[in-house]
């Protein structure tokens, strides 16, 4: 009897897509047999398990993250001032205005410059320092590799800026850039570079480089620690083998350390890129109102100072797209075979 | 690479990381409450009497929100005590984040009854007026004043206070409670040491600066990070040279308003300070506090500023500083307005939201604030003049404030009231401020600075997204 039944169901046609979709919302116990013996059931079961397991966080995520995003797209099509509950639907006017807005282009240019340079510099420095801390020192007895002298101390020092809130970092650096008593001008004077002193670091064309420097300074310590962790996971035997083959420091770095920490670097790259795209606190605190803007600070000015929340939302949507394109690009470009060790 | 059919832990985490990237907090978070809005229960008005002209309901609660800035909130607490002596209780709160705290409530139609809309995070009052969210204060102006029922509140106010509450029509929407005198601030001690008088013409100014330079002192310093501080003396300077109409044309964004000869003369005079090296080195990058410190340390003679500077720089001002303010130095004897002319106007804005549940209570609170007792209390607490005429008479004021009330008295009716700073903040702070910053740093000539100002004014005039105002 049992055997007969199994044969019967086995012969039944595959379940329809609708039935599969319905089954997604049913517990396994109540899943119709036609679905259960379908080829695709295994995958369905897998995703069903995960989604139901994540139902609560997904719901919260949809409510507080996805839905504001969707709303933002809608408000970017209105002339909402941000002060009242009334607005008019204006179609793509905001985007058209954005296209012709020179100040926005300038801000976009600055943001893209930071997006390209900040991760490049920060990660390069982070990698270099981490390598020196972990494998850059002299060879000691019984040690294939070791860090430079005092590396454990440096590791802590590098991390200091990360402990400070970004607002404090910005205030401190604004002081450093201050023309009359700031450490930068004073320092340049001490080493005899008087002609390099500036009357105004943050108000003119140099501002973007000043912001870039602070951005890199404040994040490099985080990457030193991150990369140090990744590097210490590399088995010592690999280093020993390369040493036996006569590899120098540079070869060790480019042939062993770099490829084996690539996954971490790529993650770090995306994270740092997003930090660079933001840079809001630094620009808002350090740079005067008539100075340079980045997209988030321009957005803030439009939304808060000029009461043009609709237009600001359109800027926010563009920022979202830029971020999205950046992360997708980084995910695609950086894909490599993972080396298991 | 494991791109097999299984969704393992790693891919799952990578995918959720990718999803996490999308969570970049956009302005969407701000907007998510936009279309909400419930109606607030309005309190019934009581009967209007002589002592209670707005018919405040004595049972109703009043909610007051004070900006917690340089003035603190003690003066408001004192005024609230007077209010609750006759009417209902007062719910008091103070904040520095006026906008983030109150904008959602404004949008939802559930605002407090009185808002001290001040500070860097003040709400855009023009946008609120446009959306009918602000209560018309005409009723307050026509009510009898607290101290003398025969005099209306309107007649107790300093000149320029009502105008500062108007936005392109006769209606007064906000009350600027403090009263600010703008001008060239200096130390009488510093001038005495140089044995010079306060310069009344530009030739005298050049001579004073030259003499100061010989002593190693700069003539001027300014808050380079906020170059629109220069507007505090530049606008009245332009007004003095060419008459008040030049400033009105600038405020009204008229074509070629900036190309007037008076503007050119003023720009060239200021540029001369830079060209001759009379400006303290490094000023272009100073914050307002740093520039005030330099000035307090006798490193520079003059600083364009407003009468809040005495309170703000109190801790760093030497005891023998003898702070004073003078009207902007005239160009020469051919000026259209006399030397005493200056820019003085109300500041520290208060308004009553149109949807306030207890709007009569809000008006009554402002009427109490405009009484002599509260006004004098404000002056003694925070050393600032108030919008109330003659309220500080006979009070023992600190030197800067004494000087401010003297020049104000000397000016008489020769007061100028540029509106650009509060009508077109972006134009005033960023564009004109930026042009002046570049000119005073020596990067551009006056001609180019004027061009930049005119182009920016034209761009603002053509920008449909910016609300326009005209002098009435």
């Amino acid at each position: 009897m049992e055997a007969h039944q199994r044969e019967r169901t086995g012969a039944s046609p595959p379940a329809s897509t609708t039935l599969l979709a319905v089954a997604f919302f049913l517990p396994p116990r109540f899943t119709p047999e036609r679905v259960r013996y379908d080829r695709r059931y295994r995958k369905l079961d897998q995703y069903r398990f995960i989604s139901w397991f994540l139902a609560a966080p997904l719901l919260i995520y949809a409510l507080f993250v996805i839905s504001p995003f969707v709303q933002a797209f809608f408000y970017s099509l209105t002339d909402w001032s941000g002060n009242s509950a009334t607005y008019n639907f204006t179609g793509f006017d905001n985007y058209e205005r954005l296209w012709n807005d020179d100040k926005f282009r300038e801000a976009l240019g600055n943001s893209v410059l930071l997006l390209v340079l900040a991760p490049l510099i920060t990660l390069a420095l982070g990698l270099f320092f981490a390598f020196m801390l972990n494998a850059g020192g002299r060879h000691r007895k019984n040690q294939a590799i070791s860090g430079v002298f005092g590396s454990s101390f440096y590791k802590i020092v590098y991390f200091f800026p990360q402990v400070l809130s970004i607002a404090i970092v910005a205030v401190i650096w604004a002081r450093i850039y201050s023309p009359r008593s700031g450490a930068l001008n004073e320092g340049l004077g001490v080493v005899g570079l008087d002609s390099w002193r500036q009357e105004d670091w943050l108000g003119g064309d140099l501002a973007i480089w000043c912001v870039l420097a602070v951005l890199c300074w404040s994040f490099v310590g985080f990457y030193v620690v991150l990369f140090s962790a990744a590097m210490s996971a590399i088995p010592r035997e690999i280093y020993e083998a390369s040493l036996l083959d006569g590899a120098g420091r540079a070869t060790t770095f480019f042939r062993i350390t770099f490829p084996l920490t690539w996954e971490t670097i790529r993650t770090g790259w995306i994270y740092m890129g997003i930090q660079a795209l933001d840079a809001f606190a630094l620009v808002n605190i350090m740079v005067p109102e008539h100075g340079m803007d980045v997209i988030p600070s321009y957005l803030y000015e439009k939304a808060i100072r000029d009461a043009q929340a609709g237009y600001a939302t359109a800027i926010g949507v563009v920022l979202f797209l830029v971020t999205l394109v950046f992360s997708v690009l980084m995910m695609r470009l950086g894909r490599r075979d993972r080396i298991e060790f | 690479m494991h791109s097999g059919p299984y969704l393992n832990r790693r891919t799952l985490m990578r995918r959720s990381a990718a999803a996490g990237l999308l969570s970049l907090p956009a302005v969407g978070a701000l907007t998510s409450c936009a279309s909400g809005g419930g109606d607030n229960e309005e309190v019934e008005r009581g009967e209007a009497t002589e002592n209670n002209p707005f018919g405040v309901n004595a049972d109703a609660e009043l909610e007051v929100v004070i900006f917690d800035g340089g003035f603190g909130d003690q003066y408001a607490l004192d005024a609230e005590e007077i209010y609750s002596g006759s009417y209902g209780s007062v719910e008091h709160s103070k904040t520095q984040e006026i906008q983030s705290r109150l904008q959602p409530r404004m949008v939802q139609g559930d605002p407090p009854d009185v808002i001290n809309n001040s500070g860097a995070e003040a709400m855009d009052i023009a946008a609120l007026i446009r959306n009918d969210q602000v209560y018309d204060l005409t009723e307050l102006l026509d009510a009898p004043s607290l101290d003398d029922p025969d005099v209306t509140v309107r007649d107790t106010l300093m000149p320029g206070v009502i105008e500062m509450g108007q936005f392109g029509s006769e209606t007064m929407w906000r009350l600027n409670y403090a009263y600010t005198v703008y001008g060239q601030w200096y130390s009488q001690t510093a001038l005495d040491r140089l044995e010079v008088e306060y310069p009344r013409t530009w030739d005298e100014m050049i001579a004073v600066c030259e003499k100061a330079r010989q002593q190693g002192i700069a003539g001027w310093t300014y808050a380079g990070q906020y170059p629109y501080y220069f507007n505090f003396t530049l606008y009245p300077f332009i007004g003095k040279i060419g008459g008040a109409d030049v400033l009105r044309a600038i405020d009204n964004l008229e074509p070629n308003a900036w190309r007037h000869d008076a503007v050119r003369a003023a720009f060239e005079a200021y540029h001369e300070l830079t060209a001759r090296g009379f400006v303290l080195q490094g000023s272009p990058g100073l914050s307002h506090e740093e520039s005030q410190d330099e000035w307090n340390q006798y490193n520079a003679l003059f600083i364009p500023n407003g009468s809040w500077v005495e309170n703000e720089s109190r801790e760093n001002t030497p005891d023998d500083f003898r702070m004073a303010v003078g009207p902007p130095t005239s160009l020469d004897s051919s000026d259209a307005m006399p030397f005493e002319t200056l820019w003085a106007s109300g500041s520290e804005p208060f308004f009553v939201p149109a949807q306030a549940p207890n709007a009569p209570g809000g008006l009554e609170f402002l009427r109490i604030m405009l009484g002599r007792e509260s006004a004098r209390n404000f002056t003694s607490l925070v050393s600032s003049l108030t919008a109330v005429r003659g309220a500080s008479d006979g009070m023992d004021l600190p030197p800067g404030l004494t000087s401010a009330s003297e020049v104000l008295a000397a000016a008489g009716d020769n007061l100028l009231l540029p509106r650009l700073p509060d009508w077109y903040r972006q134009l005033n702070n960023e564009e004109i401020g930026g042009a002046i910053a570049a000119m005073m740093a020596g990067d551009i000539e006056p001609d180019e600075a004027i061009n930049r100002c005119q182009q920016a004014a034209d761009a603002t005039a053509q920008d449909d997204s910016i609300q326009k105002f005209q002098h009435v």
Side-chain angles (χ1 to χ4, degrees), chain A residues 61 69 82 178 199 304-305, chain B residues 19 22 99 103 282 290 426 430:
Chain A
Y61 188 77
F69 265 112
S178 170
E199 282 213 281
I304 307 293
R305 183 191 63 191
Chain B
L22 305 185
Q99 178 152 32
Q103 187 154 324
E290 288 168 329
Q426 192 253 345
E430 238 183 87

Side-chain angles (χ1 to χ4, degrees), chain B residues 254-268:
Chain B
E254 283 170 23
N256 292 323
W258 286 90
R259 304 211 190 278
H260 196 279
D261 287 341
V263 177
R264 175 175 307 275
F267 272 57
E268 277 170 357

Side-chain angles (χ1 to χ4, degrees), chain A residues 55-294:
Chain A
L58 273 178
L59 193 73
I60 293 173
Y61 188 77
L63 191 65
F64 292 107
V65 179
I66 309 280
S67 97
F69 265 112
V70 176
Q71 289 187 46
F73 282 103
F74 171 72
Y75 286 116
S76 74
L77 304 177
T78 68
D79 64 352
W80 186 44
S81 71
N83 287 314
S84 73
T86 57
Y87 49 79
N88 301 311
F89 188 77
T90 55
F92 284 91
D93 281 6
N94 283 332
Y95 291 95
E96 199 186 322
R97 193 179 144 204
L98 210 53
W99 186 255
N100 299 314
D101 187 343
D102 289 339
K103 294 210 155 233
F104 172 73
R105 286 190 182 193
E106 230 168 82
L108 185 66
N110 285 334
S111 278
V112 169
L113 188 74
L114 289 181
L115 176 65
V116 173
L117 289 182
L120 205 64
I121 297 172
T122 313
L123 269 70
L125 282 175
L127 265 178
F128 173 72
F129 289 138
F131 182 70
M132 293 311 277
L133 291 182
N134 287 286
R138 289 164 189 276
H139 302 305
R140 272 172 235 146
K141 224 187 206 173
N142 299 330
Q143 292 257 308
I145 49 154
S146 60
V148 293
F149 179 74
S151 59
S152 49
F153 174 70
Y154 291 142
K155 222 180 266 188
I156 296 170
V157 171
Y158 282 132
F159 204 69
F160 275 166
Q162 200 63 33
V163 178
L164 299 175
S165 126
I166 193 76
I168 296 174
V169 168
V171 170
I172 292 174
W173 276 89
R175 287 270 165 190
I176 292 175
Y177 286 126
S178 170
R180 278 186 70 81
S181 51
L184 183 57
N185 266 353
E186 296 291 317
L188 287 173
V190 167
V191 297
L193 289 169
D194 283 296
S195 58
W196 289 26
R197 292 167 67 131
Q198 296 288 327
E199 282 213 281
D200 186 11
W201 287 99
L202 295 169
D205 298 337
L206 288 170
I208 179 82
W209 306 107
C210 296
V211 170
L212 180 65
V214 180
L215 196 64
C216 295
W217 178 84
S218 58
F219 280 101
V220 85
F222 174 76
Y223 291 100
V224 170
V225 174
L226 185 74
F227 295 150
S228 289
M231 285 177 195
S232 59
I234 302 173
R236 306 241 139 179
E237 295 79 24
I238 301 182
Y239 282 110
E240 277 169 8
S242 70
L243 279 175
L244 286 177
D245 288 342
R249 269 186 218 166
T251 321
T252 319
F253 177 78
F254 285 108
R255 292 293 176 85
I256 296 174
T257 314
F258 188 75
L260 291 182
T261 45
W262 174 250
E263 286 275 316
T264 317
I265 295 172
R266 197 180 58 158
T267 315
W269 194 290
I270 295 175
Y271 181 65
M272 189 60 207
I274 289 173
Q275 294 295 338
L277 266 184
D278 182 357
F280 171 72
L282 290 183
V283 173
N284 204 37
I285 295 174
M286 285 170 41
V287 179
E289 202 174 342
H290 63 272
M292 63 163 271
D293 271 320
V294 288

Side-chain angles (χ1 to χ4, degrees), chain A residues 15-56:
Chain A
S16 69
T17 324
T18 334
L19 204 56
L20 276 171
V22 171
F24 192 82
F25 297 97
L26 293 174
R29 187 180 309 179
F30 299 115
T31 310
E33 282 202 340
R34 263 177 69 197
V35 175
R36 223 184 293 176
Y37 291 109
D38 192 278
R39 265 182 305 113
R40 295 163 288 181
Y41 178 65
R42 188 171 183 179
K43 196 155 211 174
L44 182 140
D45 190 36
Q46 208 173 44
Y47 278 99
R48 179 173 62 184
F49 172 72
I50 293 167
S51 338
W52 278 103
F53 201 60
L54 293 176

